[in-house]
């Protein structure tokens, strides 16, 4: 498929989506977010892909929503359409993806950009990354997870301060607070993120899917229910050909050859 606002590439089991509106710092508009959703759905259906990498490149992820596009919208416009490019396209696709979705963030990830990367399974940040929800500065508020995912990730106090003041969080604070999984040098970001995505894609994909489901359940379920789901999922992996192959390879001191079933 050809896209107007993103670039898509598939290599070594990794589907990479790159936001591509450099003249406006990858500002999120209807076209871009729709295309991200479409690309994720396409990569989800591609048997050659085991992991999805979402990035804005090595300079900026996204400086926020395209305010010029949004400024004339009314409450009725947004309510009747359910803010369509957030709720039904891009974020829905990220939330529903069964394959892991990794965000690689350099530079600004603000407003909708921050909300987009928080919807991913985890974030690898460049040392120049900055995260924030600055919507208060234009008289509105986060509308795609900024008050919810940010609070779950870093706690009420920091999330409240950031949303109310518009303060940005640098990469070091984001890592300390649990928002990002790790930090790498800016010039190494895309290579490091791709290496991680490729490693995930090389693992048994049914097992990867179960792990993703189990970790996500831990966010919302109580511990007893989460442990029960984890135990049943663990037991179910013994029906996988990949489990038998992996254990045999370990015993024989060789690299496993997973068939993803």
């Amino acid at each position: 498929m050809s896209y107007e606002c993103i670039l898509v590439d598939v290599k070594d089991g990794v589907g990479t989506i790159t936001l591509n509106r450099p003249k406006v710092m990858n500002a999120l508009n209807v076209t871009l977010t729709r295309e991200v959703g479409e690309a994720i759905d396409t990569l989800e259906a591609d048997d050659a892909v085991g992991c999805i990498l979402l990035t804005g490149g090595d300079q900026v992820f996204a400086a926020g929503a395209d305010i010029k596009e949004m400024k004339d919208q009314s409450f009725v416009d947004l309510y009747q359409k359910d803010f369509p490019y957030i709720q039904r396209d891009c974020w829905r696709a990220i939330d529903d993806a069964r394959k892991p979705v990794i965000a690689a963030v350099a530079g600004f990830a603000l407003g909708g950009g921050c909300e987009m990367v928080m919807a991913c399974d985890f974030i690898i940040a460049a040392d120049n990354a900055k995260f924030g929800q600055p919507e208060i500065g234009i008289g509105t508020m986060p509308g795609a997870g900024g008050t919810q995912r940010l609070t779950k990730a870093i706690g009420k106090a920091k999330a409240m301060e950031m949303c109310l003041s518009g303060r940005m969080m640098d990469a070091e604070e984001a890592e300390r607070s649990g928002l990002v999984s790790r930090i790498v040098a800016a010039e190494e970001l895309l290579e490091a993120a791709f290496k991680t995505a490729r490693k995930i894609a090389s693992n048994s994909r049914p097992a990867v899917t179960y792990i993703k489901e189990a970790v996500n359940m831990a966010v919302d379920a109580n511990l007893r229910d989460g442990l029960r789901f984890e135990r049943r999922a663990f037991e179910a992996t013994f029906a996988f050909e990949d489990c038998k192959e992996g254990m045999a390879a370990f015993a024989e001191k060789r690299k496993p050859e997973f068939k993803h079933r």
Side-chain angles (χ1 to χ4, degrees):
M1 295 178 65
S2 60
Y3 298 99
E4 179 182 340
C5 295
I6 64 173
L7 304 173
V8 179
D9 179 62
V10 176
K11 179 182 177 182
D12 294 344
V14 178
T16 301
I17 302 170
T18 304
L19 310 187
N20 188 37
R21 299 187 74 208
K23 292 182 179 180
V24 290
M25 299 182 70
N26 291 337
L28 308 182
N29 64 3
V30 171
T31 301
L32 184 148
T33 51
R34 184 185 67 246
E35 288 181 349
V36 170
E38 291 173 352
I40 288 175
D41 287 342
T42 298
L43 295 171
E44 270 279 285
D46 188 344
D47 290 339
V49 174
C51 188
I52 299 169
L53 179 61
L54 180 61
T55 183
D58 58 5
Q59 298 297 318
V60 62
F61 184 81
D66 191 331
I67 304 303
K68 292 180 180 179
E69 183 180 71
M70 296 176 62
K71 65 182 180 63
D72 294 325
Q73 298 288 319
S74 70
F75 163 73
V76 173
D77 291 332
L78 298 181
Y79 181 72
Q80 287 188 330
K81 298 175 182 177
D82 197 19
F83 211 173
Y85 61 95
I86 286 180
Q87 301 297 343
R88 289 202 296 269
D89 294 332
C90 180
W91 272 253
R92 184 272 313 156
I94 297 173
D95 284 339
D96 290 350
R98 301 189 74 195
K99 296 175 181 178
V101 183
I102 302 171
V105 177
F108 294 118
L110 304 179
C114 187
E115 291 169 317
M116 183 181 287
V117 300
M118 288 193 295
C120 298
D121 293 308
F122 63 91
I123 303 167
I124 298 176
D127 53 14
N128 66 352
K130 291 185 181 296
F131 303 86
Q133 300 294 156
E135 291 88 349
I136 189 65
I138 58 170
T140 185
M141 64 175 287
T147 64
Q148 303 302 301
R149 287 192 173 96
L150 188 63
T151 303
K152 287 180 178 292
I154 68 176
K156 175 186 173 182
K158 280 185 177 291
M160 188 73 81
E161 180 205 4
M162 290 178 67
C163 290
L164 291 179
S165 71
R167 179 179 74 84
M168 290 187 289
M169 176 183 284
D170 65 21
E172 290 187 5
E173 184 181 0
E175 184 183 37
R176 289 197 308 269
S177 302
L179 182 63
V180 307
S181 62
R182 60 189 169 102
I183 302 170
V184 299
E187 62 271 17
E188 299 172 2
L189 172 67
L190 298 181
E191 180 180 355
F194 183 81
K195 182 178 180 181
T196 299
R198 183 174 59 193
K199 173 58 180 172
I200 292 171
S202 72
N203 291 328
S204 169
R205 294 177 189 171
V208 165
T209 301
Y210 257 139
I211 290 170
K212 175 172 174 172
E213 290 180 1
V215 173
N216 281 336
M217 175 164 278
V219 176
D220 297 312
N222 62 59
L223 181 60
R224 182 182 297 273
D225 289 342
L227 288 171
R228 184 180 297 110
F229 177 87
E230 179 189 69
R231 186 165 61 252
R232 295 294 178 257
F234 165 73
E235 293 163 355
T237 65
F238 279 70
F240 298 164
E241 291 182 23
D242 285 346
C243 181
K244 303 304 182 187
E245 164 62 13
M247 292 184 177
F250 179 85
E252 297 165 11
K253 298 181 179 180
R254 60 176 175 81
K255 185 177 179 179
E257 297 180 6
F258 293 130
K259 297 181 179 178
H260 308 301
R261 58 176 186 258

